[in-house]
Amino acid sequence: MRSLSELDRRVSTCRACPRLVAWREEVARVKRAAFAGEEYWARPVPGFGPPDAGLALVGLAPAAHGGNRTGRMFTGDPSGDFLYAALHAVGLASQPTSVRRGDGLELYGTRITAPVKCAPPENKPTAQERDNCRPWLISELELLRPTLRAVVVLGGFGWQALLPVLASCWQVPRPRPAFGHGVSVTLPAQDDGPDLELFGSYHVSPHNTFTGRLTPSMLEDVLRRAARAAGIARSPL
């Protein structure tokens, strides 16, 4: 694939995982009462952000009534509310809310993606579903390679899913670095490109944010560090 726009189009038509296809479409038929009048996206959700991003955020998978409904990563659910408020606070998003596609939201130097592109039942993709989706993430990061300088991974699932993907362009230490909030690791380049700064953060799930395990200041601190590593200099960084 020659561009991220082409990749995004192809991602959105994928039907490689029967369980995920059945679930995302069933959710769109049944719907949540609050969204009964809406037409759900009900397809794989491509990444969101500019094609020359210096920073990537990697989550887990779209939420059934969030990204699976709106067609945009971390959009229309409490996880997205928390994440985009933090991105706006550190100067990486044009507004603190992400309600729907076409709502005017822009990301600055940042692209958001996930290792699994379809909403999974109970937010738990299988190992096979993760592996089926891996080529999409590999292609996405390869297309970002000329500008990508840092990655923030939201949660342990994303961390474990991403490390084998990064090994195609960067040297991943052995044993592999352990996930933790605030962890950072420099991955030396295996080609002529720049090294990559890898950061870990607890996931922005309601379980973490409602219990205080992850606070806005904790996430903002990681995002600021990653933005500086990526060379993104926007107020109020």
Side-chain angles (χ1 to χ4, degrees):
M1 283 165 279
R2 294 169 294 179
S3 68
L4 279 170
S5 59
E6 180 184 352
L7 173 69
D8 291 345
R9 287 193 299 272
R10 293 184 60 180
V11 163
S12 68
T13 63
C14 183
R15 300 182 66 85
C17 301
R19 187 182 79 114
L20 297 187
V21 171
W23 172 251
R24 76 193 191 205
E25 294 178 355
E26 175 66 15
V27 168
R29 283 193 296 270
V30 176
K31 302 183 180 180
R32 182 169 284 174
F35 310 124
E38 296 188 23
E39 182 177 352
Y40 277 52
W41 173 260
R43 288 182 275 159
V45 180
F48 170 55
D52 58 351
L55 171 64
L57 272 62
V58 178
L60 191 163
H65 301 281
N68 187 56
R69 173 174 61 89
T70 64
R72 192 169 71 192
M73 286 288 176
F74 285 106
T75 296
D77 62 15
S79 296
D81 294 342
F82 191 94
L83 176 60
Y84 285 105
L87 287 167
H88 181 260
V90 302
L92 296 176
S94 63
Q95 61 193 45
T97 57
S98 180
V99 179
R100 64 181 62 85
R101 286 176 298 134
D103 61 5
L105 174 65
E106 293 182 59
L107 295 180
Y108 303 130
T110 304
R111 183 172 172 90
I112 301 177
T113 188
V116 176
K117 307 298 187 185
C118 293
E122 299 181 347
N123 292 320
K124 294 180 179 178
T126 67
Q128 185 62 59
E129 289 162 352
R130 175 203 64 202
D131 293 346
N132 288 349
C133 221
R134 182 173 291 163
W136 296 125
L137 189 56
I138 291 173
S139 295
E140 191 167 11
L141 294 184
E142 286 178 347
L143 288 166
L144 288 171
R145 177 69 175 113
T147 57
L148 190 64
R149 302 293 182 270
V151 175
V152 173
V153 185
L154 303 173
F157 179 93
W159 185 270
Q160 294 302 323
L162 181 64
L163 290 178
V165 173
L166 295 178
S168 63
C169 292
W170 295 276
Q171 298 174 32
V172 177
R174 294 285 186 177
R176 289 178 177 173
F179 171 77
H181 183 83
V183 166
S184 63
V185 182
T186 300
L187 304 183
Q190 296 197 95
D191 54 19
D192 294 330
D195 297 344
L196 185 76
E197 298 295 326
L198 179 65
F199 296 83
S201 170
Y202 293 141
H203 196 277
V204 291
S205 67
H207 174 75
N208 286 337
T209 60
F210 291 172
T211 61
R213 187 177 190 227
L214 179 65
T215 65
S217 61
M218 290 169 63
L219 179 57
E220 289 167 21
D221 176 68
V222 173
L223 292 174
R224 284 191 184 95
R225 291 165 55 203
R228 292 189 187 107
I232 303 171
R234 292 187 61 91
S235 178
L237 289 176

